[in-house]
Amino acid sequence: MLHEPVLIPPLAASAALVHSAPTLPLAQPRGVVIGHLIGAATGFAVLAAAGSAAWAAALAAGLTLALLTLARTPHSPAVATAVVTVLQSPAPARFVPLLFGSTVLLVLTGYAGSRIRRGAPRYPAYWW
């Protein structure tokens, strides 16, 4: 319905981290939300500068990983967000709000799920 299938692979990987390994640094809210936004911004910047090509997607992946490291915001699925942004060229006005809302919803479901399941590790381990 939303015509943004490019969100499925990176968000599925994020969901796996949040729900299966909720105590890892890669699964924490800062990494999930800010990491994907960094990935999208990097992807759109590379797309604008170099166009949609496999080498540009690889460049966006490397730059995203470097920026995530510099920002101390680890979240490997965010690299996939940069790659699919370059390869699929989504409309930023629709893609970015949808990505932001999806990541916030993912964090909230992780939080709720950890409170409902008895004996489950608490999510998040830290918010920021």
Side-chain angles (χ1 to χ4, degrees), residues 78-107:
V79 174
T81 298
V83 169
V84 297
T85 300
V86 170
L87 294 178
Q88 297 293 315
S89 308
R94 189 174 63 208
F95 182 79
V96 174
L98 185 59
L99 177 66
F100 178 73
S102 298
T103 57
V104 169
L105 185 61
L106 180 58
V107 166

Side-chain angles (χ1 to χ4, degrees), residues 1-3 5 9 19 23-24 39 41 43 45 50 57 59 63 88 92 96-97 111-112 116 118:
M1 178 184 354
L2 296 171
H3 307 292
H19 292 283
T23 59
L24 287 180
L59 176 64
L63 289 173
Q88 297 293 315
V96 174
Y111 176 81
I116 293 171
R118 198 178 299 171

